[in-house]
Amino acid sequence: MRILVVTVVHHPEDARILHREIAALRDSGHQIVYAAPFTARGVAPRADVEGIDLPRAAGSNRREALRAARTVLAERGPAADVVLLHDPELLLALPGTLRRWRRGGAAPVTVWDVHEDTAAALAMKRWVPRALRPPLRFAVHTAERLAERHLRLLLAEDAYQARFRRTHPVVPNLATAPPGPTEPPGGERVVYLGQLSRARGALDLIQMARLLWPAIRVEVIGAADPDVRGALAAADRDGVLHWHGFLSNDRALPLLSGALAGLSLLHDQPNYRHSRPTKVVEYMACGIPVVTTPTPLAAELVERHSCGLVVPYEDPAAATEAVRRLSTDTGLRLRAAERGRKAALADLNWPDKAARFTTLLETWAKEAAGPALTREAARTRRPSPRRTAGSPSSFPSERPATDA
């Protein structure tokens, strides 16, 4: 298939988009064009995909990114079998685009990959005025209902089904477990992997690092929101913790191996209550114990598999004590690591599920192609005086990708 993947919000090296979904499609022999904010994020497209550079949608500054995305969809969409969208913002670029595609007789299967509870996430966005949040939540729900009528949907969590009237396939956020035996968890460092913000516990991490230093080192991997960057940079300069900044998934995961524990300190926010933090699965897959706040899906996972400890929300002292307990109790640490790794390999391993994701897109593309092929055959048997535009046989190759 020819697949156009588009995001203006996510990092181009996003683990779900690039390292799971695009990788699975490439492994199945499909051709990818990836439109993402490469320059804005300071990265270049991978060699095995054609990259198109887009502006980044951040804060209230989203208009330029949506205009650019609309242009890419209009120009490159008709040549695709599948268009895979990763941001709710991109739904705003679709109404006119879908009409143009259909008028031209080359409408690709359009899929929205639902990463989060968008309406709940609005409450956490400081750039959205409080007075605008209720009408925006209503607008989001309306957009979701319209998307359900006109697009195919993939959900990252089973709990997202409640937002929609029909049942949609779930492609969960899993991890790729390292092959072979993993390094046993040591006792000298703990790690955090993921986006850093107040609601994700960035300031709690800094407090923990001060409480644990110098006996246990805190290593932090991930990009940070503007309002916590200064505090993280200062803690790194002071030697209290080590902040690696953003690292792609294939560079970040090896740093987890051998750590004492992996941290997930999410606050109690509506958007987190029915989402399973991917970092928790990644810690389990890499064979290290988990220390997590009691977000329901993370706590259920840790308690069911006895692969770590659950601590109260916004309580760095309690999280520190949990780390110290794992540090001093070698048996507990090794058992938690072994159980988490076993569960990740058995039930939470992305390579075992990747084929289902690829098959879904292939099936949808075949279903959409069937009526079109039938109509084309009829036109071949009974030539019409009217000329009908058809889909190009491959992605346009004469237009060079924008360098990032």
Side-chain angles (χ1 to χ4, degrees), residues 185-394:
E188 297 181 351
R189 65 186 182 98
V190 293
V191 292
Y192 172 91
L193 173 61
Q195 181 70 22
L196 292 148
S197 67
R198 288 177 182 270
R200 291 180 174 91
L203 301 183
D204 302 334
L205 282 170
I206 295 172
Q207 282 188 257
M208 276 190 70
R210 295 187 186 281
L211 293 170
L212 290 168
W213 187 86
I216 297 172
R217 185 172 74 256
V218 174
E219 294 191 13
V220 179
I221 308 163
D225 285 3
D227 61 342
V228 297
R229 283 178 200 155
L232 284 162
D236 182 76
R237 284 195 305 270
D238 294 344
V240 173
L241 56 71
H242 181 41
W243 180 26
H244 292 269
F246 177 85
L247 296 177
S248 62
N249 206 243
D250 50 356
R251 295 175 59 201
L253 290 181
L255 297 179
L256 305 185
S257 181
L260 161 62
L263 304 174
S264 177
L265 303 182
L266 298 175
H267 291 184
D268 186 16
Q269 293 285 343
N271 191 33
Y272 299 149
R273 288 174 195 156
H274 45 248
S275 297
R276 180 173 56 200
T278 308
K279 60 176 67 64
V280 170
V281 181
E282 289 171 327
Y283 299 152
M284 294 168 64
C286 290
I288 63 175
V290 179
V291 174
T292 180
T293 50
T295 52
L297 295 184
E300 188 275 334
L301 198 62
V302 168
E303 290 170 346
R304 172 157 50 100
H305 297 293
S306 300
C307 60
L309 300 171
V310 179
V311 299
Y313 289 113
E314 300 185 56
D315 192 341
T320 298
E321 285 308 307
V323 167
R324 287 178 177 153
R325 181 182 169 193
L326 288 167
S327 175
T328 56
D329 191 336
T330 304
L332 173 65
R333 184 170 76 245
L334 294 177
R335 287 193 302 272
E338 181 182 358
R339 289 166 178 161
R341 167 84 170 166
K342 182 178 179 180
L345 286 170
D347 302 319
L348 305 168
N349 197 21
W350 169 253
D352 296 339
K353 318 291 185 183
R356 180 173 180 267
F357 161 73
T358 304
T359 300
L360 273 171
L361 298 193
E362 291 170 346
T363 300
W364 288 342
K366 288 175 183 176
E367 289 174 356
L373 291 173
T374 300
R375 289 193 298 271
E376 182 61 31
R379 283 195 295 270
T380 302
R381 290 193 301 270
R382 294 179 300 174
S384 168
R386 295 182 61 187
R387 182 178 178 183
T388 304
S391 302
S393 60
S394 62

Side-chain angles (χ1 to χ4, degrees), residues 52-255:
I52 299 176
D53 196 21
L54 293 176
R56 180 188 174 197
S60 59
N61 182 21
R62 294 169 185 258
R63 189 172 300 176
E64 181 186 0
L66 288 177
R67 270 201 305 266
R70 189 179 291 113
T71 298
V72 168
L73 289 169
E75 292 180 353
R76 306 302 294 270
D81 298 298
V82 176
V83 172
L84 181 56
L85 307 176
H86 285 277
D87 318 316
E89 289 86 346
L90 292 172
L91 300 179
L92 299 174
L94 278 181
T97 303
L98 287 172
R99 286 193 294 271
R100 283 193 295 273
W101 285 346
R102 288 164 182 162
R103 281 199 301 268
V109 176
T110 307
V111 182
W112 175 28
D113 189 352
V114 183
H115 288 228
E116 66 175 0
D117 185 340
T118 308
L122 285 171
M124 300 163 56
K125 299 186 185 298
R126 293 170 175 261
W127 55 270
V128 178
R130 287 186 178 275
L132 290 180
R133 290 175 188 175
L136 282 175
R137 280 195 292 270
F138 176 80
V140 166
H141 290 310
T142 301
E144 288 177 345
R145 286 194 293 272
L146 288 170
E148 188 174 33
R149 288 170 56 189
H150 298 286
L151 310 179
R152 299 282 192 168
L153 269 58
L154 292 174
L155 310 183
E157 297 285 353
D158 290 286
Y160 296 167
Q161 299 276 16
R163 291 157 48 193
F164 301 98
R165 294 174 180 172
R166 298 199 301 271
T167 300
H168 301 283
V170 176
V171 177
N173 282 322
L174 304 177
T176 301
T182 56
E183 182 181 347
E188 297 181 351
R189 65 186 182 98
V190 293
V191 292
Y192 172 91
L193 173 61
Q195 181 70 22
L196 292 148
S197 67
R198 288 177 182 270
R200 291 180 174 91
L203 301 183
D204 302 334
L205 282 170
I206 295 172
Q207 282 188 257
M208 276 190 70
R210 295 187 186 281
L211 293 170
L212 290 168
W213 187 86
I216 297 172
R217 185 172 74 256
V218 174
E219 294 191 13
V220 179
I221 308 163
D225 285 3
D227 61 342
V228 297
R229 283 178 200 155
L232 284 162
D236 182 76
R237 284 195 305 270
D238 294 344
V240 173
L241 56 71
H242 181 41
W243 180 26
H244 292 269
F246 177 85
L247 296 177
S248 62
N249 206 243
D250 50 356
R251 295 175 59 201
L253 290 181
L255 297 179

